[in-house]
Amino acid sequence: MPKLSVVVPCYNEEESIPLFYPAVSKIIAQMPVDAEYWFIDDGSRDHSLMEMEKLHQKYPDEVHYVSFSRNFGKEAGLYAGLQAATGDYVVVMDVDLQDPPAMLPTMYKDLQSGEYDCVGTRRTDRTGEAKIKSFLSSQFYHVINHISETEIIPGARDYRMMTRQMLNAVLSMTEYNRFSKGIFSWVGFRTKYLDYHNVERVAGTTDWSMSKLFRYALDGIMDFSDAPLSIATWFGTLIAGLAFIALIVVVIRHIVSPNASAFGWASLICIILFMGGIQLLSIGIVGKYVGKTYMQAKHRPIYIIKTKK
Ligand code: UDP
Ligand code: MG
């Protein structure tokens, strides 16, 4: 029988882990596959690791876990899980049951048909989420799809099942700054998207604050596009053009009425501040990319394992 690996990143999820396993294993038991679970303890400060150990004791052949030395972030957790997985198929799931396990058999069937290499999911609505959060995230998808060649599907979750072939392609991308939504799209292959209605967390709270989401969005844009780097060029060209026109106007005015008085102290200050702002912004953008290059150049490991069972 083919083997299905379930990869589950967890950070402070002691309440969700005991609910997750029975819900998912009940569904997988009805599928024609052998299952393997890889829980990733992303440096949790609660008893998540203990819950994983309990499951491992109970189902030693089926349930495995990797525990990090500290919190490395969900992207690192995903990568560790995908590396550990030995299955012919892999599915990535959040532990809070926001990714409905009932979709697993359909996803598997679509892969089995051979028509698709990956089945992803996307939320059609965002009930239970703040309006401003939904608005900002739709703006994010708008911007990133406009300036990046990698297509990022709006509302797509990390919940996806893929074949070993596609998994190997994902694993071959060893970049330090990992933006999974971009990586899954970048590797290509045929992906089908299933829609579903938003489900709220079973237990615990989300760890994603507004500022964390904002940073995540900026990182996503920078990891998959170099368009922000051209901002300086565009502004520079525009402002140089305007300055040239202004110069011609000043010269003509001087010829036509040599005694016209000069004025515009306030506007001068505005122009100087505006230019200063644009220059700092441009340097800042270049700085962000240099910083990312710097981190990549150090070749630090993406995560560090404390225990693995
Ligand atoms: N997660 C993680 N490391 C982190 C933050 C989150 O492994 O630093 C896990 C978390 O335990 C959950 C998944 O990533 O299984 C999604 O997190 P969450 O539910 O907080 O995000 P949301 O569903 O709101 O996008
Ligand atoms: Mg969640």
Side-chain angles (χ1 to χ4, degrees):
M1 262 210 287
K3 192 195 240 179
L4 173 67
S5 304
V6 185
V7 169
V8 199
C10 310
Y11 178 53
N12 295 342
E13 302 277 11
E14 60 182 2
E15 295 161 62
S16 311
I17 296 167
L19 301 173
F20 175 86
Y21 181 79
V24 174
S25 61
K26 202 175 85 192
I27 305 274
I28 293 187
Q30 297 160 11
M31 293 164 58
V33 291
D34 286 329
E36 167 195 70
Y37 294 80
W38 279 100
F39 288 92
I40 315 300
D41 165 36
D42 187 8
S44 302
R45 290 163 198 280
D46 64 358
H47 297 113
S48 298
L49 184 57
M50 227 166 75
E51 295 297 336
M52 292 176 192
E53 177 64 32
K54 266 193 225 161
L55 282 175
H56 175 69
Q57 300 282 332
K58 223 163 148 188
Y59 313 98
D61 297 328
E62 203 178 280
V63 178
H64 305 275
Y65 65 82
V66 174
S67 178
F68 288 172
S69 59
R70 64 167 170 88
N71 179 247
F72 281 89
K74 183 181 176 188
E75 299 289 348
L78 271 183
Y79 189 56
L82 294 177
Q83 278 189 318
T86 61
D88 307 296
Y89 299 92
V90 183
V91 61
V92 173
M93 294 180 86
D94 284 1
V95 72
D96 55 15
L97 290 176
Q98 274 191 300
D99 299 335
M103 293 170 88
L104 288 169
T106 325
M107 294 167 99
Y108 183 70
K109 228 179 269 159
D110 282 326
L111 288 187
Q112 281 280 288
S113 73
E115 205 181 326
Y116 297 99
D117 306 286
C118 176
V119 181
T121 56
R122 67 182 164 208
R123 288 189 292 185
T124 49
D125 62 322
R126 290 168 165 268
T127 33
E129 196 180 75
K131 280 254 159 50
I132 177 82
K133 213 168 161 185
S134 312
F135 172 75
L136 288 177
S137 75
S138 74
Q139 289 306 308
F140 160 72
Y141 287 113
H142 189 72
V143 170
I144 197 167
N145 282 319
H146 196 68
I147 65 176
S148 165
E149 273 162 26
T150 308
E151 194 192 6
I152 313 286
I153 305 288
R157 303 275 302 168
D158 285 338
Y159 182 27
R160 58 176 69 225
M161 191 186 289
M162 68 197 107
T163 59
R164 166 59 51 182
Q165 190 190 21
M166 175 156 166
L167 171 63
N168 287 342
V170 170
L171 290 178
S172 73
M173 294 181 72
T174 54
E175 59 206 71
Y176 184 80
N177 303 296
R178 303 191 72 78
F179 181 65
S180 287
K181 288 186 206 303
I183 290 176
F184 288 133
S185 165
W186 193 90
V187 296
F189 296 100
R190 283 156 307 172
T191 303
K192 178 180 183 178
Y193 282 93
L194 303 176
D195 292 337
Y196 73 98
H197 286 293
N198 192 32
V199 184
E200 296 194 31
R201 267 183 166 272
V202 277
T205 50
T206 177
D207 183 50
W208 289 88
S209 61
M210 210 55 165
S211 66
K212 222 172 159 186
L213 277 174
F214 193 69
R215 244 177 301 145
Y216 178 70
L218 277 187
D219 282 339
I221 289 172
M222 292 198 166
D223 290 346
F224 281 88
S225 166
D226 56 6
L229 281 175
S230 359
I231 282 185
T233 317
W234 287 112
F235 264 117
T237 314
L238 180 74
I239 290 169
L242 289 178
F244 187 71
I245 295 169
L247 184 73
I248 293 174
V249 170
V250 168
V251 169
I252 290 176
R253 198 175 71 143
H254 185 71
I255 293 169
V256 174
S257 59
N259 297 324
S261 59
F263 53 84
W265 183 86
S267 54
L268 199 63
I269 292 292
C270 291
I271 291 169
I272 290 173
L273 288 181
F274 178 69
M275 284 305 301
I278 298 283
Q279 283 169 3
L280 286 178
L281 175 74
S282 307
I283 295 173
I285 291 173
V286 176
K288 278 294 260 183
Y289 279 90
V290 173
K292 281 181 177 285
T293 314
Y294 174 61
M295 292 311 287
Q296 179 72 45
K298 290 199 214 194
H299 289 299
R300 283 187 181 161
I302 294 168
Y303 56 85
I304 290 171
I305 294 180
K306 192 164 168 231
T307 33
K308 183 173 176 182
K309 278 189 190 173

